[in-house]
Amino acid sequence: MPEPRTWQLAAGSAALGLALAAGAVAAAGPWDSGQRKAERARAVSADSRGGAHHAGAPAQAAPRRPAPAPSAAGVLRALGATGHAGGITRSGDDLAAVLVPLLADPGLGPLRTASVVDTATGRPLYGEGASTPMTPASTVKIATAAAALSALGPDHRIPTTTVASPDHRTLTLVGGGDPTLDRTRLKALADATARALRGPGATPPAPVRLGYDTSLFKGPLLHPIGPNENLAPVSALMTAEGRLDGSRHGPAPRTGDPAGDTATAFAALLQDAGITVQGPPRPARAPQAAPLARTESAPLADLVEHTLTHSDNDLAEALARQTALARRQPASFAGAEKAVHDELARLGLPLAGARFADGSGLDRRDRVSATLLTGILTRAADPARPALRPVLTGLPVGGFSGTLAGRFGSGPAAPGAGLVRAKTGTLTGVNTLAGTVVTADGRLLAFAFLAARTSSPDTAQPALDRLTAALAPPR
């Protein structure tokens, strides 16, 4: 069995784990249980680049295949031979003795890897094929979020602006890559633009022609999975993630032209604000000039938390492109891939075999190892890296919020409920879970479990939940 890869971190205090446990049940809003089903059934394509179930095709393109079934040999023992190790309470037990049988659950399919790390020391406690690259599905959003926070900082906001020509006869709406722009903020931008066009006097401004600029993002608009209810065309200008049903997360009907729809709505709002708009909005490049008005997204820390809690694919792709812009790469799938990889390398993370073909995890070409995921979570728990903390605080809470609201059972006796915080990942034949849990003695553990060629999420997800619940304190 490959040994888990070790890295060094400054030792932290166990109080960090206790503090995270105290905040584990923060409210995160309702969850549409259809999103997991949608990632399974809708996020698909006919070739290996999408989310299809490839019967008979190789599920992994990894340099080393994980063992078909784990064994106890070679597994690192938990700290100490007695006392508590997570939910393990019997004297002399170790993590291997408890996790190996759970990892062998047939529901996890023939290919599975695992990593458990003590975040205070960076010490691996358990590993099975931990350095083997696997398809992560939506757990890749942990990497996307960490890279964005590292490159931009938690206070960064994404702007949407308006720019006028020197004679104020042409107005351009400029997309900054904020998929969370909504009608309320779009109206505020229209009102502020109208005030700027009027200037200090009360004379009505001349009619304007409206253009819209989406040039910030490069490359194809469509994800390799093609038109899909899990992801709108990736445009620098859109409103409400291109959703057509008023929903805020989960799968939804999407517009095929998010930028054009946003510009059309903006033109109507300008009219309501007293500005005559001549003709329909047209694609355009904004002149080099100071913005007339601007609206900004919530801070990046909030965007990251929403991305992770609700597995928001549109926002994840936007964060990947913001990382690309910060690192002077093209804001495209390819540019974001390089930027995310390079940013994680700056954090000293193990990237052998890693691939970030997209920011959301819908692309089956993505590859991460369990060691990489626990490494990111460990960096986020490091007291010396507070900018990365939203990676932890955004994780869904087992049995309570986001994509884990319907998992780990319910009630005070449910194993892991309220104690496990983790990012889910689901594609056809791929089921993953990575996050944190605080042990009975106050240690914060990071874990990652990745399974491939699973037959059904109905059996794989409960098996993953049992693995993670075994790390939590007993009820």
Side-chain angles (χ1 to χ4, degrees), residues 189-207:
L189 181 63
D191 291 344
T193 300
R195 288 193 297 271
L197 288 172
R198 289 192 188 93
T203 304

Side-chain angles (χ1 to χ4, degrees), residues 202-470:
T203 304
V208 300
R209 294 190 178 276
L210 178 64
Y212 57 98
D213 188 341
T214 62
S215 62
L216 188 67
F217 283 6
K218 310 297 182 184
L221 285 171
L222 287 180
H223 189 281
I225 61 174
N228 193 271
E229 290 191 345
N230 280 294
L231 185 67
V234 186
S235 172
L237 179 64
M238 65 169 65
T239 308
E241 300 184 340
R243 296 172 180 272
L244 299 176
D245 64 355
S247 63
R248 300 190 64 182
H249 49 77
R254 309 298 183 109
T255 175
D257 184 14
D261 290 353
T262 299
T264 298
F266 187 70
L269 292 169
L270 283 175
Q271 294 275 174
D272 292 344
I275 304 298
T276 300
V277 179
Q278 294 180 322
R282 303 289 187 186
R285 292 295 293 267
Q288 296 293 321
L292 277 183
R294 67 190 289 132
T295 181
E296 294 182 333
S297 71
L300 185 63
D302 294 353
L303 301 183
V304 161
E305 289 185 337
H306 182 90
T307 299
L308 296 175
T309 298
H310 297 292
S311 200
D312 192 308
N313 297 313
D314 301 271
L315 197 43
E317 298 298 349
L319 294 181
R321 280 159 178 72
Q322 293 297 319
T323 304
L325 292 168
R327 294 306 173 202
R328 301 184 184 279
Q329 295 293 325
S332 62
F333 284 106
E337 177 175 4
K338 184 177 190 313
V340 169
H341 185 283
D342 292 352
E343 197 61 36
L344 296 180
R346 289 185 183 93
L347 292 173
L349 290 158
L351 289 165
R355 173 94 195 262
F356 306 101
D358 67 1
S360 61
L362 292 172
D363 196 319
R364 286 181 175 271
R365 296 174 300 168
D366 291 330
R367 293 290 184 273
V368 305
S369 66
T371 296
L372 174 57
L373 291 173
T374 53
I376 296 170
L377 294 165
T378 299
R379 295 294 192 276
D382 186 348
R385 300 182 186 273
L388 299 182
R389 201 73 75 245
V391 172
L392 300 186
T393 57
L395 294 173
V397 180
F400 284 87
S401 66
T403 56
L404 287 184
R407 292 172 62 171
F408 291 94
S410 59
L419 302 174
V420 172
R421 301 196 69 140
K423 180 70 198 75
T424 56
T426 308
L427 293 170
T428 302
V430 175
N431 296 93
T432 60
L433 196 63
T436 63
V437 63
V438 179
T439 68
D441 56 359
R443 289 179 297 154
L444 182 70
L445 303 186
F447 64 84
F449 302 112
L450 296 90
R453 296 187 183 177
T454 58
S455 59
S456 168
D458 295 334
T459 55
Q461 289 177 354
L464 290 172
D465 295 351
R466 286 189 289 271
L467 273 166
T468 55

